[in-house]
Amino acid sequence: MAIKMGVSFIRKTFIVANWKMNKMVKEAEDFCRDLLPQIEDCNHVDIAICPPFTSLGAVNDLLINSKVLLGGQDVSWEKQGAYTGEVSASMLNDVGCQYVLVGHSERREIIGETDEIVRLKLQRAIEAGLIPIFCVGEDLAARDNNRASDVIKKQLTAGLKNLEIISSSIVIAYEPIWAIGTGSNASPSDAQEMALFIRHELENIFDKDFAQNIIILYGGSVKEDNLADFLQEEDVDGALVGGASLEANSFAKLVRIGANGQ
């Protein structure tokens, strides 16, 4: 389904590109020029691109007046100051971002971000008016030992603790670590099971209206040949796309699948 009904509003399909550490500025510009004409008629779908920091300004210039929104791949938990290499929420605002990824597994696993750091980043993004795409997901050991729900519950509870938030100001992305960039992906029923679990946990943390209105994405080896199956699941509202978002024609096909719901 391209549009799904929450308690108080319609959950619109959302397709997000995460380029990770790929594309020079010219490559990013060429991508946007190739993509935009291909998705002009795509309605009933929201779209965002998260380029590396070096390309945010150039991409923003090309996305102005288009239906594609801009996101950062990370944000500092501090407002400003002596934090070499960090990028603040206000800097992301300044360059045109509406979204920012927070808590991606590669930040947790490789950089060593803790649940508390993720919570501080979520808080800073929300305070700055950015919409965080809050990533949660279990590794293969947790999945094999039937602990996936325990991991997700811990990440959600720790990340959202004491945050003042409304449902339209955050997106949740479920990304099983064992499926990211591996060519393996959770089955649609696996994704639905975890998305529904996330919705139930959000209801416990906040309330039913909040939980029903939250956009929940699936991420992990999303491709043209499996996206439609994921979108057919009631609680999967879109996708966070890695490798398949690096080529304009490929990403355009995913956007069109999201728009058509098939």
Side-chain angles (χ1 to χ4, degrees):
M1 297 172 64
I3 298 178
K4 299 173 183 179
M5 185 68 71
V7 171
S8 61
F9 78 61
I10 294 173
R11 301 198 311 263
K12 195 173 181 182
T13 300
F14 189 25
I15 308 296
V16 182
N18 176 17
W19 289 352
K20 307 188 180 184
M21 197 171 69
N22 292 289
K23 294 192 183 298
M24 301 301 185
V25 172
K26 185 178 185 304
E27 293 173 314
E29 292 173 331
D30 289 344
F31 176 100
C32 294
R33 292 189 182 100
D34 289 344
L35 174 71
L36 294 178
Q38 298 186 60
I39 60 171
E40 281 182 337
D41 60 344
C42 290
N43 300 312
H44 307 304
V45 62
D46 289 330
I47 312 154
I49 296 175
C50 299
F53 291 130
T54 52
S55 295
L56 285 172
V59 170
N60 183 60
D61 289 344
L62 292 170
L63 296 185
I64 290 175
N65 299 322
S66 81
K67 61 184 64 183
V68 182
L69 301 176
L70 186 66
Q73 292 184 16
D74 188 32
V75 64
S76 175
W77 63 90
E78 294 287 354
K79 287 186 177 181
Q80 62 181 34
Y83 301 97
T84 301
E86 291 296 309
V87 174
S88 71
S90 59
M91 290 173 178
L92 294 178
N93 282 329
D94 188 50
V95 81
C97 288
Q98 295 92 358
Y99 291 92
V100 63
L101 300 176
V102 175
H104 192 282
S105 64
E106 290 160 3
R107 301 291 308 177
R108 297 177 188 261
E109 297 290 310
I110 300 171
I111 309 302
E113 290 187 4
T114 64
D115 286 334
E116 176 60 13
I117 288 174
V118 171
R119 187 190 71 80
L120 292 172
K121 289 185 174 189
L122 288 171
Q123 179 175 314
R124 186 64 64 209
I126 291 167
E127 288 174 352
L130 293 167
I131 300 175
I133 300 172
F134 176 25
C135 301
V136 298
E138 81 282 2
D139 61 18
L140 185 59
R143 167 65 58 167
D144 287 345
N145 288 291
N146 297 314
R147 294 188 56 253
S149 58
D150 294 336
V151 172
I152 301 304
K153 181 175 182 176
K154 178 178 179 292
Q155 291 174 343
L156 288 171
T157 302
L160 299 173
K161 181 175 61 179
N162 299 326
L163 290 188
E164 293 186 9
I165 189 171
I166 59 175
S167 58
S168 60
S169 65
I170 193 169
V171 172
I172 307 293
Y174 168 62
E175 288 199 306
I177 297 171
W178 48 271
I180 299 173
T182 64
S184 299
N185 52 272
S187 69
S189 60
D190 289 335
Q192 167 60 22
E193 179 184 7
M194 294 309 297
L196 181 60
F197 175 79
I198 289 168
R199 220 174 281 288
H200 285 161
E201 287 303 307
L202 293 173
E203 183 175 341
N204 292 333
I205 296 169
F206 298 101
D207 58 42
K208 185 172 183 178
D209 283 2
F210 182 99
Q212 288 299 315
N213 291 331
I214 282 283
I215 299 292
I216 298 178
L217 311 179
Y218 169 75
S221 300
V222 174
K223 299 181 179 67
E224 180 185 352
D225 61 1
N226 63 27
L227 176 58
D229 292 335
F230 286 107
L231 295 182
Q232 290 299 315
E233 300 295 340
E234 182 62 30
D235 289 285
V236 178
D237 304 312
L240 178 57
V241 187
S245 74
L246 293 176
E247 197 272 321
N249 291 339
S250 171
F251 188 61
K253 290 175 182 176
L254 295 177
V255 170
R256 299 187 75 85
I257 290 169
N260 296 328
Q262 58 184 16

